[in-house]
Amino acid sequence: MEGTGTFGAGLSRYLLAQHVQVYEVNRPDRTARRLLGKSDPLDAQAAARAVFSGRARARAKTGDGPVHSARMFKLAKDSAVKARTQAINQLKAVLVIADPALRERLSSLGNRELFRTCARLSLRDGEGDEDAVAQATRITLSRWPSASSSSPGRSMS
């Protein structure tokens, strides 16, 4: 089986639980695939040949040990870091087009304090004659999800 640690992990774990011997097979040769085209039956035949010839000797991982657990935690962490970075970048993009006075007030803040300050913004912070775009910017900034805390933050709905 190809991809016992990724795409085929579920099937691999199921087969192992049924006491079926599962061997990890490397991906098919790219040159051959380019010449012959993508074909699942041909890929399956190549995998079977690799096992029978002894080229594929590695037993499939069970996927239930500490390495797999660490992989799950790393996946969640990487996703959270990516979401936080995206939120920070989007917030700063809003600040680029914000009213100059508001932008000046917020531009010197670090990320954590910037998110806290934005969360505390209210319509009363604006001037009475503030235009619709400035009001929309202030509302957007005040409703921004918190990327600096461990909680999911507020949503815009």
Side-chain angles (χ1 to χ4, degrees):
M1 175 181 288
E2 178 186 349
T4 60
T6 54
F7 298 110
L11 177 59
S12 176
R13 280 194 302 269
Y14 173 79
L15 292 172
L16 289 169
Q18 301 301 313
H19 307 291
V20 174
Q21 290 183 8
V22 180
Y23 292 92
E24 174 72 34
V25 178
N26 292 332
R27 22 186 319 192
D29 179 35
R30 288 184 182 188
T31 308
R33 290 196 76 181
R34 256 185 252 122
L35 293 173
L36 301 172
K38 166 121 178 69
S39 169
D40 289 337
L42 290 178
D43 290 348
Q45 289 173 11
R49 284 190 191 98
V51 171
F52 288 132
S53 70
R55 283 184 292 129
R57 291 185 295 241
R59 291 286 183 110
K61 298 171 189 75
T62 59
D64 60 358
V67 171
H68 191 69
S69 297
R71 185 178 293 127
M72 289 295 126
F73 291 134
K74 184 176 180 335
L75 178 70
K77 179 186 176 230
D78 290 349
S79 178
V81 168
K82 182 177 179 181
R84 179 182 187 275
T85 300
Q86 185 178 22
I88 290 168
N89 291 342
Q90 288 175 341
L91 176 64
K92 290 187 177 185
V94 170
L95 287 177
V96 167
I97 59 171
D99 175 66
L102 180 60
R103 182 175 57 242
E104 193 65 33
R105 177 177 155 201
L106 300 174
S107 65
S108 63
L109 301 176
N111 291 337
R112 186 176 301 256
E113 191 56 34
L114 174 62
F115 275 91
R116 286 183 180 146
T117 302
C118 286
R120 290 191 302 260
L121 287 176
S122 70
L123 287 177
R124 291 178 300 239
D125 293 334
E127 300 168 11
D129 59 346
E130 193 174 51
D131 67 10
V133 174
Q135 286 179 353
T137 302
R138 188 174 302 286
I139 291 169
T140 299
L141 292 174
S142 70
R143 305 278 294 159
W144 208 269
S146 173
S148 62
S149 69
S150 59
S151 65
R154 292 185 287 178
S155 69
M156 298 221 17
S157 58

